[in-house]
Amino acid sequence: MDARIATGGGAGTCAVGGFVWDVLLWRRGRADVSACLLAATVSSWLLFYSGLVRGYTLLSLASNVLLLLLTVLFLWAKAARLLNRPQPLVPELRVPQQAVDEAAALLRSALDAALDAFRDIALGRDSLLFYRAFLCLWSVSIVGSLTDFPTACYASIVAALTIPALYHRHQECIDTYMSFAYMNLRMYEMVYERLSMKCFLRVRDWIIELLKDP
């Protein structure tokens, strides 16, 4: 029984992960979903954060729409009960347990991968991973200093929907430049290690000489 549950959870996680990657890479018939997400993100930013709509944000608009919907349904139900008319058809919505388990498993796998990458970088095991993390965090720092948090979130969504697809399409060319850059960085790293070792040895010898003097 446990094996079947584990197998089902792994298959569900793979299915959810495959759907996410299909959306990010615009493939396997998911290009329409990717295009809708990209269009909704850009249009919502243009409406609420570029000055086209004054006095409204995405949160305030969603709250007002939900408030209006609940008010209309509440008054409709009360009036229907008084007038013996049929009440509004409101479906009974439930979150499937399988969807929650799949989302939790996907989040856990992503967090485990991030923690493993952090450990490898902290222990100096993967120089290329360190350079990638450095560039990503540096880019986030620059974007964060130039804009506010909501705009940064919108930019992150747009980047997630465009950069992986562009990389997948031009992977060979990008990998060639990345390999060339990695070789240059590796060479500079070796030069830095040699210089730092020479400086360390000179400082050590200088301290030993000072200690030997009466």
Side-chain angles (χ1 to χ4, degrees), residues 69-167:
L69 178 61
L70 289 176
T71 303
V72 170
L73 291 176
F74 178 79
L75 295 177
W76 186 356
K78 288 295 185 180
R81 187 175 301 174
L82 293 175
L83 300 175
N84 293 326
R85 302 293 296 177
Q87 294 186 354
L89 298 177
V90 180
E92 185 177 358
L93 302 177
R94 290 289 184 271
V95 179
Q97 184 65 34
Q98 183 180 0
V100 175
D101 295 338
E102 292 175 359
L106 183 62
L107 179 61
R108 179 185 177 184
S109 63
L111 290 177
D112 289 340
L115 293 175
D116 291 339
F118 178 83
R119 179 178 175 82
D120 292 339
I121 293 174
L123 296 177
R125 295 176 179 175
D126 195 339
S127 299
L128 182 59
L129 185 60
F130 167 74
Y131 297 138
R132 290 178 178 175
F134 179 83
L135 290 175
C136 290
L137 293 176
W138 185 50
S139 302
V140 171
S141 176
I142 293 176
V143 173
S145 63
L146 296 176
T147 183
D148 54 355
F149 181 72
T151 304
C153 292
Y154 280 108
S156 300
I157 297 174
V158 173
L161 291 173
T162 53
I163 293 178
L166 293 176
Y167 174 76

Side-chain angles (χ1 to χ4, degrees), residues 40-61 147-155:
T41 303
V42 174
S43 60
S44 60
W45 181 84
L46 290 175
L47 286 175
F48 300 114
Y49 293 99
S50 65
L52 295 180
V53 178
R54 298 291 181 179
Y56 273 99
T57 62
L58 182 61
L59 181 60
S60 62
L61 180 64
T147 183
D148 54 355
F149 181 72
T151 304
C153 292
Y154 280 108

Side-chain angles (χ1 to χ4, degrees), residues 131 181-193:
Y131 297 138
Y182 173 71
M183 292 175 61
N184 290 331
L185 290 175
R186 185 62 179 171
M187 181 182 65
Y188 293 140
E189 183 182 6
M190 294 174 63
V191 172
Y192 170 76
E193 290 178 354

Side-chain angles (χ1 to χ4, degrees), residues 19-34:
F19 175 79
V20 172
W21 277 112
D22 290 341
V23 172
L24 293 179
L25 297 178
W26 299 56
R27 64 184 183 185
R28 295 180 183 176
R30 308 296 183 184
D32 52 348
V33 179
S34 305

